[in-house]
């Protein structure tokens, strides 16, 4: 049934859906307590998006549909903070906290009540709300002015677009920290490892890089999170800091809760120390990084009496945790060969307790790092675990070095297959080029192939691959499809049921869509998203294989590095053979009928440039629609451009160029008409 709604019916429905979705977002992302299934949630969102497409004039810029991103920020505008974003004075010892207490006690007459909070190690942000709606989000910058990152911040699900209730001030700013949860960070790095990209060093830098990305759709996928800790404005209806945060919680913000012990009212210095000691020990258990504790005076009146220094409030101080360090002996330097052939030197240590875990190994990164720190086998070394996932060696105890100690020469050949190592200019790490003959690389390719986001083959896991490889049953991906029941049954931990499961999983994988097969075959730098873009653009593997460099870089998100890697991949005989064999086996190497069905050739022969901000579609949707209908998308205007689809805020230089060349400019409605 598809009865058309009137505009006023649609308006009501949009309002209703918006409210419902906002509430579910709050339940899920702020309270961690969802009350409907993901599926039901998606259905609600889908309804809303559909209505907004049908009635674009009713679509709100703070609609929860904006959470998926899609708008592009070409350059982040610099804006001046209404209230300067000050920093906190830091302290590193308990004495300094005692001094702080003595100092501020002299500034006021009455008793002081403190609030202890976590010091979040993320990216500071100030968000302004007007009439209960998110109006602008700005980075700290230099404290006086920062970058407008509103579009990206709107994709962070724990930050409300519209406030709950109705007793909020007409205008106010709320400050806090944006961060990448540890599990999301680890997942992200795992994906990077799979496609052979250099790993991100820590969650904080990754969060700060993410928040400044131009494509908000990518930001939306990164699952950033937030904690808010400071409300500012004129005539605020609060008497204390704690009260301000409790109220902000009711408006829908994610604020620290007393029940989690993330925030605590303290009356004495001992209580403050208890809070510090508790989190110094427990911080590893949190799913986000903290680098200390912040102590604030609770009463607004007392805060005012104490005032500010040039840089920071006198009524607050940060206590910074020491990065946990341990001293231990470096027994041996060994070398690890990654799935993509990258060599990582590893320090094998005398086991030592650090940040709640026993550390036996630490990364030495690369040859330069070893040389820079002059790290030698037998040395006593200092190991540290900061925000980084892998412990690192930060120094050597020179006084304890054996007088006969010698620097160790870095390996020249692969420890696994003895091939001469290579090091490309600009790369910090050595790598083993023997892609097809080096065991960890062979196993790695198969493990990536079967992994969840690639072919997701039921019954097969990393250990099974290891087992099959060691038993001499598989040497490459194709061998997996040639496995026989009789070969598997005699293996350890294999029973009739698990064997059937594996064989069924392999059979089923023949239906996995092309884009995932493309990701699974492991072309360097072709991750999940890039594989999707390639599949949509070229439609089948042969078109990708024969594409020239210029043809490749025209596709969405394909840059020079990826294009070169794709071309290189197809020059290798083994890769060509692999694809031929997998094709013969029956894997999907082109888009399916159904995927092609939504296609037409209405725009064949036409080249489009998409510019500006749109309301009916996101930019990606527009580009997909152009390609699905046989048109081409180009990044710059030239004589070959047939149309420019222009949204709001199209760049002035583009407009000038279009006029000079006489290229037709159409809006999204006109474009819609064409297809
Ligand atoms: S309050 C005027 N509370 O630490 C005081 N800051 O060095 C405003 N930070 O720029 C800051 N956790 O980015 C405050 N619970 C917390 C915090 C916190 C982290 C950051 C913030 C600030 C920096 C100060």
């Amino acid at each position: 049934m598809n009865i058309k709604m009137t505009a006023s019916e649609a308006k009501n429905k949009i309002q209703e859906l918006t409210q419902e979705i906002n509430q579910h977002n709050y339940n899920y992302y702020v309270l961690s307590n969802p009350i409907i299934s993901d599926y039901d949630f998606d259905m609600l969102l889908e309804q809303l998006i559909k209505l907004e497409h049908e009635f674009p004039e009713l679509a709100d810029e703070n609609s929860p549909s904006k959470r998926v991103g899609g708008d592009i920020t070409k350059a982040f505008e610099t804006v001046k903070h209404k209230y300067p974003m000050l920093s906190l004075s830091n302290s590193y010892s308990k004495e300094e906290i005692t001094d702080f207490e003595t100092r501020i006690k002299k500034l006021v007459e009455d008793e002081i009540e403190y609030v202890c909070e976590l010091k979040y190690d993320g990216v500071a942000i100030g968000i302004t709300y007007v009439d209960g709606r998110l109006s602008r989000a700005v980075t700290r910058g230099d404290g006086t002015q920062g970058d407008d990152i509103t579009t990206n911040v709107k994709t962070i699900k724990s930050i409300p677009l519209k406030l709950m209730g109705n007793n909020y001030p007409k205008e106010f700013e709320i400050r806090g920290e944006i961060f990448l949860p540890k599990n999301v960070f680890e997942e992200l790095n795992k994906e990077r490892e799979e496609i052979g990209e250099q790993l991100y060093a820590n969650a904080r830098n990754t969060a700060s890089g993410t928040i400044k990305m131009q494509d908000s759709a990518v930001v939306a996928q990164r699952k950033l999170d937030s904690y808010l800790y400071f409300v500012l404005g004129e005539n605020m209806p609060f008497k204390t800091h704690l009260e301000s945060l409790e109220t902000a919680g009711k408006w829908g913000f994610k604020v620290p809760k007393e029940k989690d012990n993330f925030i605590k009212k303290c009356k004495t210095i001992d209580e403050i120390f208890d809070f510090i000691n508790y989190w110094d020990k427990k911080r590893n258990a949190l799913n986000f990084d903290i680098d200390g504790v912040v102590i604030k005076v609770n009463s607004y009146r007392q805060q005012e009496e104490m005032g500010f220094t040039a840089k920071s409030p006198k009524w607050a101080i940060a206590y910074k945790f020491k990065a946990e360090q341990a001293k231990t002996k470096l027994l041996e330097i060994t070398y690890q060969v990654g799935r993509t052939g990258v060599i990582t030197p590893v320090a094998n240590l005398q086991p030592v307790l650090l940040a709640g875990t026993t550390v036996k190994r630490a990364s030495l990164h690369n040859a330069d790092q070893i040389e820079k720190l002059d790290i030698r086998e037998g040395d006593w070394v200092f190991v540290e675990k900061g925000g980084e996932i892998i412990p690192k060696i930060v120094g050597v105890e020179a006084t304890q070095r054996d007088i006969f100690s010698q620097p160790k020469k870095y390996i020249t050949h692969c420890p696994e297959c003895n091939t001469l190592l290579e090091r490309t200019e600009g790369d910090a790490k050595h790598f083993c080029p023997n892609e097809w003959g080096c065991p960890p690389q062979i196993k790695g390719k198969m493990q990536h192939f079967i992994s969840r986001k690639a072919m997701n083959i039921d019954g097969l896991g990393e250990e099974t691959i290891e087992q099959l490889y060691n038993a001499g049953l598989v040497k490459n991906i194709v061998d997996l499809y040639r496995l026989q029941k009789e070969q598997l049954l005699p293996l350890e931990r294999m029973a009739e049921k698990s064997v059937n499961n594996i064989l069924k999983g392999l059979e089923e994988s023949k239906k996995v869509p092309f884009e995932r097969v493309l990701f699974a075959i492991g072309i360097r730098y072709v991750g999940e998203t890039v594989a999707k873009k390639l599949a949509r653009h070229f439609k089948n593997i042969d078109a990708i294989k024969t594409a020239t460099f210029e043809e490749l870089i025209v596709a969405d998100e394909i840059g020079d590095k990826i294009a070169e890697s794709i071309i290189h991949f197809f020059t290798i005989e083994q890769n060509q053979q692999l694809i031929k064999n997998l094709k013969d086996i029956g894997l999907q190497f082109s888009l399916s009928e159904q995927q092609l069905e939504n296609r037409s050739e209405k725009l064949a022969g036409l080249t489009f440039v998409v510019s500006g901000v749109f309301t009916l579609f996101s930019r990606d949707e527009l580009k997909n629609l152009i390609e699905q209908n046989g048109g081409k998308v180009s990044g710059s205007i030239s004589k070959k451009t047939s149309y420019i689809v222009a949204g709001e805020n199209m760049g002035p230089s583009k407009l000038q160029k279009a006029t000079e060349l006489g290229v037709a400019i159409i809006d999204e409605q006109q474009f819609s008409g064409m297809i």
Side-chain angles (χ1 to χ4, degrees):
M1 201 168 54
N2 191 7
I3 302 169
K4 259 223 166 304
M5 280 191 194
T6 66
S8 97
E9 281 167 345
K11 190 174 169 194
N12 286 339
K13 188 73 193 166
I14 286 179
Q15 250 172 20
E16 194 185 299
L17 284 166
T18 300
Q19 208 170 28
E20 210 177 330
I21 293 169
N22 282 342
Q23 180 67 42
H24 287 307
N25 256 331
Y26 175 77
N27 293 344
Y28 189 102
Y29 292 101
V30 180
L31 302 181
S32 305
N33 187 19
I35 56 167
I36 60 167
S37 70
D38 289 0
Y39 176 81
D40 290 342
F41 179 84
D42 290 344
M43 289 299 109
L44 290 174
L45 194 61
E46 204 171 282
Q47 269 188 59
L48 176 66
I49 292 172
K50 216 167 135 221
L51 275 177
E52 288 177 346
H53 271 203
E54 268 172 55
F55 298 91
E57 68 282 4
L58 299 176
D60 190 321
E61 64 179 274
N62 276 339
S63 160
S65 60
K66 289 276 166 194
R67 300 285 202 193
V68 295
D71 291 341
I72 307 279
T73 316
K74 271 267 174 272
F76 295 96
E77 198 191 330
T78 308
V79 280
K80 199 167 176 309
H81 293 297
K82 186 164 179 189
Y83 312 96
M85 263 174 113
L86 300 176
S87 57
L88 293 169
S89 53
N90 285 325
S91 64
Y92 300 88
S93 68
K94 305 259 167 91
E95 290 76 61
E96 285 175 275
I97 300 287
T98 320
D99 291 348
F100 163 76
E101 196 208 19
T102 321
R103 204 162 54 231
I104 60 171
K105 269 188 170 162
K106 289 191 194 134
L107 299 175
V108 286
E109 306 249 295
D110 42 355
E111 289 279 298
I112 301 175
E113 198 173 71
Y114 301 93
V115 176
C116 289
E117 287 171 28
L118 304 180
K119 184 161 170 19
Y120 308 94
D121 194 10
V123 183
I125 178 98
I127 318 173
T128 305
Y129 284 78
V130 180
D131 293 325
R133 298 155 61 84
L134 192 160
S135 99
R136 191 151 79 174
V138 184
T139 61
R140 178 168 191 279
D142 62 5
T144 313
Q145 52 183 36
D147 290 331
D148 182 334
I149 52 165
T150 312
T151 310
N152 287 344
V153 167
K154 281 187 182 175
T155 68
I156 303 173
K157 310 249 188 2
S158 58
I159 293 179
L161 300 174
K162 230 188 138 298
L163 301 184
M164 303 194 325
N166 49 19
N167 67 338
Y168 39 75
K170 183 161 173 49
E171 178 170 346
F172 68 95
E173 184 176 335
I174 189 158
R175 289 184 181 165
E177 212 85 353
I178 288 169
F179 57 84
L180 204 58
K182 285 184 193 166
N183 62 337
V184 178
F185 172 68
E186 280 158 23
E187 178 87 354
L188 194 63
N189 257 349
K190 225 169 111 195
E191 281 167 22
R192 287 180 77 81
E193 195 177 4
E194 280 175 8
I195 59 165
E197 282 276 18
Q198 186 141 20
L199 300 192
Y200 292 126
N202 60 54
R204 205 200 80 83
N205 293 356
T206 316
S208 96
T210 302
I211 206 67
K212 294 289 292 286
M213 287 173 122
Q214 292 186 329
D215 188 349
S216 59
V218 182
V219 182
Q221 286 165 9
R222 286 275 174 97
K223 300 192 187 125
L224 291 166
D225 201 349
S226 65
Y227 264 109
L228 283 316
Y229 48 63
F230 195 27
V231 189
L232 291 111
E234 266 108 75
N235 305 321
M236 287 287 110
F238 319 112
K239 287 200 164 59
T240 66
H241 172 62
L242 207 57
E243 196 190 324
S244 78
L245 292 190
E246 270 167 16
T247 314
K250 291 189 185 128
W251 295 336
F253 292 102
K254 186 158 170 176
V255 291
K257 291 263 153 50
E258 284 182 280
K259 74 166 171 43
D260 299 319
N261 201 28
F262 287 1
I263 186 162
K264 192 170 192 287
K265 196 152 73 175
C266 296
K267 289 214 157 67
T268 65
I269 200 98
D270 285 341
E271 283 174 0
I272 294 175
F273 287 157
D274 284 347
F275 188 86
I276 292 176
N277 290 338
Y278 178 85
W279 284 112
D280 198 0
K281 278 205 205 83
K282 277 276 169 67
R283 65 177 148 137
N284 297 313
L286 292 167
N287 193 26
F288 50 86
D289 291 323
I290 60 171
D291 59 348
V293 159
V294 181
I295 301 129
K296 299 174 183 171
V297 169
N298 194 21
S299 149
Y300 273 10
R301 181 184 50 76
Q302 287 180 335
Q303 284 188 4
E304 237 166 80
E305 280 176 48
M306 291 172 190
F308 296 84
T309 70
K311 278 188 287 185
S312 50
K314 289 188 191 164
W315 43 262
I317 190 165
Y319 174 88
K320 299 259 263 186
F321 294 139
K322 285 179 208 63
E324 285 183 74
Q325 236 186 38
K327 191 165 126 183
T328 188
K329 197 167 178 166
L330 169 56
L331 304 173
E332 191 191 6
I333 297 175
T334 54
Y335 301 85
Q336 227 173 32
V337 187
R339 289 180 182 193
T340 51
V342 171
I343 310 289
T344 307
V346 178
N348 294 270
L349 307 164
Q350 198 159 299
V352 62
L353 200 65
L354 176 63
T357 47
T358 305
V359 176
K360 298 191 195 92
R361 288 146 63 86
S363 168
L364 289 168
H365 301 290
N366 52 51
D368 295 344
Q369 181 78 3
I370 298 177
E371 204 175 309
K372 201 171 101 200
L373 292 174
D374 186 21
I375 299 172
R376 306 180 188 180
E377 287 180 345
D379 277 346
W380 283 90
V381 292
F382 297 100
V383 194
E384 206 174 273
K385 212 164 160 187
E388 277 77 22
I389 18 170
I390 308 161
K392 58 179 179 206
I393 294 183
V394 290
V396 173
E397 181 67 277
T399 55
Q400 275 176 283
R401 174 171 283 169
D402 190 290
I403 50 163
F404 298 112
S405 147
Q406 288 290 326
K408 194 176 161 178
K409 282 223 162 57
Y410 202 78
I411 47 164
T412 51
H413 290 75
C414 176
E416 299 274 349
C417 70
N418 212 26
T419 303
L420 184 68
L421 298 181
E422 291 180 10
R423 190 183 199 184
T424 326
E425 219 190 293
D427 268 353
K429 294 197 174 193
H430 289 72
F431 77 98
C432 166
N434 185 18
E435 238 189 290
W436 291 93
C438 181
Q441 297 191 60
I442 299 172
K443 282 184 271 179
K445 272 195 189 41
M446 288 192 275
Q447 283 163 337
H448 168 69
F449 183 80
I450 58 141
S451 67
R452 197 166 46 83
K453 292 199 166 161
M455 303 300 281
N456 192 18
I457 299 180
D458 245 7
L460 281 179
E462 294 202 357
E463 295 86 54
T464 333
I465 295 290
E466 185 88 37
Q467 190 186 13
L468 296 174
Y469 178 82
N470 293 342
L473 293 177
V474 293
K475 280 200 296 302
N476 65 49
I477 296 168
V478 176
D479 292 341
L480 289 170
Y481 289 94
R482 300 197 172 130
L483 286 170
Q484 301 290 324
K485 198 168 180 174
E486 305 73 61
Q487 294 175 302
L488 294 171
L489 277 173
L491 299 180
E492 219 177 295
R493 297 193 309 271
M494 290 280 181
E496 178 92 18
K497 198 171 156 204
S498 46
V499 170
N500 286 342
N501 207 11
I502 293 176
L503 296 176
K504 190 164 146 248
L506 283 161
E507 193 54 37
E508 293 273 309
S509 76
K510 294 180 187 169
K511 292 189 217 131
V512 167
F514 173 44
E515 58 208 44
R516 274 174 46 205
V517 178
L518 190 57
F519 170 57
I521 57 176
I523 305 174
R524 197 164 189 207
Y525 305 129
V526 176
E528 238 186 313
T529 320
V530 170
K532 248 184 226 160
K533 302 264 169 180
L534 282 169
R536 283 199 203 135
H537 187 95
F538 292 97
K539 303 176 195 74
N540 63 58
I541 195 87
D542 294 322
I544 300 176
K545 183 177 159 185
T546 51
T548 61
F549 179 81
E550 285 72 27
E551 285 165 345
L552 283 166
I553 55 172
V554 170
D556 215 13
E557 286 205 25
I558 313 297
D560 294 8
K561 194 164 94 172
I562 302 176
E564 273 162 19
S565 163
I566 295 169
I567 291 172
H568 171 75
F569 179 87
F570 287 105
T571 58
I572 294 170
E573 170 63 32
Q574 284 102 325
N575 288 333
Q576 295 185 16
Q577 196 57 45
L578 169 78
I579 287 167
K580 185 178 174 307
N581 289 338
L582 291 177
K583 249 188 195 170
D584 291 345
I585 287 165
L587 268 62
Q588 305 295 319
F589 279 98
S590 54
L591 292 183
S592 68
E593 289 293 314
Q594 205 196 350
Q595 282 171 307
L596 289 167
E597 228 169 56
N598 297 332
R599 311 186 54 83
S600 85
E601 290 300 319
K602 286 187 190 137
L603 306 179
L606 300 177
T607 302
F608 292 79
V609 170
V610 177
S611 174
V613 180
F614 300 91
T615 44
L616 284 184
F617 312 100
S618 74
R619 285 166 66 97
D620 272 350
E621 277 171 343
L622 263 177
K623 288 181 181 173
N624 279 338
L625 280 171
I626 293 169
E627 286 171 357
Q628 271 180 9
N629 288 288
K632 262 195 177 164
V633 181
S634 162
S636 57
I637 302 170
S638 72
K639 274 187 289 187
K640 289 198 196 131
T641 313
S642 326
Y643 292 98
I644 296 166
V645 191
E648 259 174 63
N649 302 332
M650 171 175 161
S653 62
K654 278 212 167 116
L655 189 63
Q656 194 190 348
K657 187 134 189 222
T659 326
E660 270 169 29
L661 294 172
V663 180
I665 303 179
I666 55 172
D667 63 20
E668 46 186 338
Q669 260 97 5
Q670 287 167 304
F671 172 78
S672 226
M674 289 175 83
I675 55 168

